[in-house]
Amino acid sequence: MNFPSKLIEDAVTEISRLPGIGKKTALRLALHLLKQSEAHTEALALALSRMRQEIKYCKICHNVADEEECSICKSHRRDGSIICVVEDMRDVLAIENTNQYQGKYHVLGGVISPIQGIGPEDLKIESLIQRIEKASESEPVKEVILALSATMEGDTTAFYLAKRLKEKGVSVSTIARGIPVGGELEFTDEVTLGRSIMTRINYNTD
Amino acid sequence: MNFPSKLIEDAVTEISRLPGIGKKTALRLALHLLKQSEAHTEALALALSRMRQEIKYCKICHNVADEEECSICKSHRRDGSIICVVEDMRDVLAIENTNQYQGKYHVLGGVISPIQGIGPEDLKIESLIQRIEKASESEPVKEVILALSATMEGDTTAFYLAKRLKEKGVSVSTIARGIPVGGELEFTDEVTLGRSIMTRINYNTD
């Protein structure tokens, strides 16, 4: 595309570096901003810039936070004996929205992915081990719940973590994989269906 | 969503004000920026801010430009006796990409839309009339091509412009509406097919 303005070209180039946004969408967004007030664009640019520069990560769970410690780690209402291990902040938000979990979190910052060159040392795994070791006196960690995506990378990470954590004597569990609530059996893929049969829940044990 | 950080919340709010981007996509983009280097986000913020503050509009055709006059209006190779009237910059880019048009442009900045409260006075219509009046001595405008979208608003604008321009004694034409090249007749909607029969091209007149 031959842009009539270098300014627009630069903006389109930068916007289209975002994931899932191509040149055409970037141009549409740029022209939208030009139609809005200057204050609108300034607010956007400032919010992005401030977020990137001033963001902090909780020193305990590594979730995004405005302070040294996030509100969940600071809270005395949350059960510190259970730690839910997730990939990133979006997973924390998703689990928080269920209102079903009262424990704490640990944000890995990714999953093990040999293809993308991400190994265990690139994730906050040592920090999790240390957290469990340090916590043992006051409020010992009893259980670690692995809430990772049901992908090859997620499973690899879960397998690695389970091996490392068992040495520490904590109970390790993973969230159930199965048919989504509301999902119809006949439309469920074979792998999910197969797994949900293998990991079936026995009503008698309750 | 209860964000763990006000900085992220502000960024997500601002990003999700862009058209076609919801809260979830905005959060995905914000987290993407956090994973990239600070320079990446700074470049994006600066490009947006500079574009909005420093952008100029060509004083002749009102297209986006870096100077007082755009490169097309300044060019002596372009035929000033034909003016193609379009809605915005994207239409200029689209027509330029065809390499079929050697005349000049006039960017209206929108189309007449009573629902959105956009009347003829909100568009660069008077400026087009004046441009035709002023040009009459040196290089008179012979033809105005209306290249507007085939929507209700586009047609309304074309009808209004045709009425205004005929008083000025210039020939007014509109780009052909019909079956797209490569389009199959049986899958064309009735309105398009009906129009393409009504505005059929007679081979004998050539």
Side-chain angles (χ1 to χ4, degrees):
Chain A
M1 280 194 271
N2 282 316
F3 292 100
S5 152
K6 183 83 175 60
L7 293 165
I8 289 224
E9 192 175 348
D10 288 350
V12 167
T13 306
E14 288 299 331
I15 300 172
S16 63
R17 288 171 73 183
L18 293 170
I21 296 185
K23 287 257 172 187
K24 281 210 167 181
T25 307
L27 179 59
R28 192 167 54 84
L29 296 178
L31 290 180
H32 169 84
L33 287 175
L34 285 179
K35 281 196 179 178
Q36 307 295 311
S37 70
E38 253 186 65
H40 186 123
T41 307
E42 281 310 305
L44 172 62
L46 188 69
L48 293 180
S49 182
R50 278 198 61 196
M51 174 190 74
R52 189 64 191 81
Q53 284 182 348
E54 295 174 25
I55 203 83
K56 289 191 184 73
Y57 294 91
C58 171
K59 62 179 180 180
I60 299 172
C61 74
H62 309 290
N63 194 10
V64 167
D66 283 339
E67 293 163 88
E68 291 271 286
E69 277 184 38
C70 76
S71 54
I72 294 175
C73 284
K74 270 197 291 192
S75 168
H76 296 292
R77 291 194 185 175
R78 310 287 300 221
D79 183 358
S81 69
I82 310 176
I83 294 175
C84 180
V85 176
V86 294
E87 188 179 333
D88 66 17
M89 189 195 110
R90 274 180 293 174
D91 303 327
V92 175
L93 283 179
I95 295 171
E96 284 298 288
N97 280 339
T98 67
N99 287 318
Q100 296 288 316
Y101 181 66
Q102 290 304 318
K104 300 203 167 176
Y105 291 95
H106 194 86
V107 179
L108 291 178
V111 280
I112 297 171
S113 168
I115 296 169
Q116 289 181 50
I118 302 169
E121 64 284 356
D122 299 315
L123 308 174
K124 302 292 182 192
I125 292 177
E126 285 313 314
S127 142
L128 174 64
I129 308 282
Q130 282 172 22
R131 188 175 163 188
I132 291 164
E133 283 170 352
K134 277 187 192 165
S136 52
E137 290 153 37
S138 54
E139 192 185 22
V141 176
K142 290 175 197 154
E143 185 177 1
V144 171
I145 303 173
L146 305 176
L148 300 168
S149 296
T151 58
M152 178 105 90
E153 289 81 9
D155 284 348
T156 307
T157 313
F159 183 76
Y160 178 86
L161 281 172
K163 222 179 95 185
R164 290 289 307 272
L165 292 169
K166 267 177 193 160
E167 300 165 6
K168 299 291 155 198
V170 290
S171 166
V172 181
S173 60
T174 180
I175 52 167
R177 278 88 160 85
I179 300 167
V181 177
E184 295 200 39
L185 207 86
E186 57 176 327
F187 300 126
T188 308
D189 65 289
E190 303 99 59
V191 182
T192 303
L193 197 53
R195 274 220 207 179
S196 73
I197 291 169
M198 295 299 289
T199 58
R200 63 194 176 276
I201 295 153
N202 193 334
Y203 282 130
N204 301 328
T205 54
D206 287 339
Chain B
M1 281 194 270
N2 281 317
F3 292 100
S5 153
K6 184 80 174 61
L7 293 164
I8 290 224
E9 191 175 346
D10 288 350
V12 167
T13 306
E14 287 299 330
I15 299 171
S16 63
R17 287 172 74 182
L18 293 169
I21 296 185
K23 288 255 170 184
K24 282 210 165 180
T25 307
L27 179 59
R28 192 166 56 82
L29 296 177
L31 290 180
H32 170 84
L33 287 176
L34 286 179
K35 282 197 178 179
Q36 307 294 311
S37 70
E38 255 186 64
H40 186 123
T41 306
E42 281 309 304
L44 171 63
L46 187 69
L48 293 180
S49 182
R50 276 197 64 196
M51 174 190 76
R52 189 64 191 82
Q53 284 182 347
E54 295 173 27
I55 201 81
K56 290 192 182 73
Y57 294 90
C58 171
K59 63 178 181 180
I60 298 171
C61 74
H62 308 289
N63 194 10
V64 167
D66 283 338
E67 293 162 273
E68 290 271 285
E69 278 185 36
C70 76
S71 54
I72 295 174
C73 283
K74 271 198 290 194
S75 168
H76 295 294
R77 290 193 185 175
R78 309 286 302 222
D79 183 357
S81 69
I82 309 177
I83 294 176
C84 180
V85 176
V86 293
E87 189 180 332
D88 66 17
M89 190 195 109
R90 278 181 292 176
D91 303 327
V92 174
L93 283 179
I95 296 171
E96 284 299 288
N97 280 339
T98 67
N99 288 319
Q100 296 288 317
Y101 180 67
Q102 292 302 321
K104 300 204 169 178
Y105 291 96
H106 193 88
V107 179
L108 291 180
V111 280
I112 297 172
S113 168
I115 295 170
Q116 288 179 52
I118 302 168
E121 65 284 358
D122 300 314
L123 308 172
K124 302 291 182 189
I125 292 176
E126 284 313 313
S127 140
L128 174 64
I129 308 280
Q130 282 171 22
R131 189 175 163 189
I132 292 164
E133 282 172 351
K134 276 186 192 166
S136 52
E137 289 154 36
S138 54
E139 192 186 22
V141 176
K142 289 175 197 154
E143 185 177 0
V144 171
I145 303 173
L146 305 175
L148 300 167
S149 296
T151 57
M152 179 104 91
E153 289 81 10
D155 284 349
T156 308
T157 313
F159 183 77
Y160 178 86
L161 281 171
K163 222 180 95 184
R164 290 291 305 272
L165 292 168
K166 267 177 193 160
E167 299 165 6
K168 301 291 157 196
V170 290
S171 166
V172 181
S173 60
T174 180
I175 54 168
R177 278 87 160 85
I179 301 167
V181 177
E184 295 200 41
L185 207 85
E186 56 176 325
F187 301 125
T188 308
D189 67 287
E190 302 100 61
V191 182
T192 303
L193 197 54
R195 275 220 207 177
S196 74
I197 292 169
M198 294 300 289
T199 59
R200 63 194 176 276
I201 297 153
N202 194 335
Y203 282 131
N204 300 329
T205 55
D206 286 339

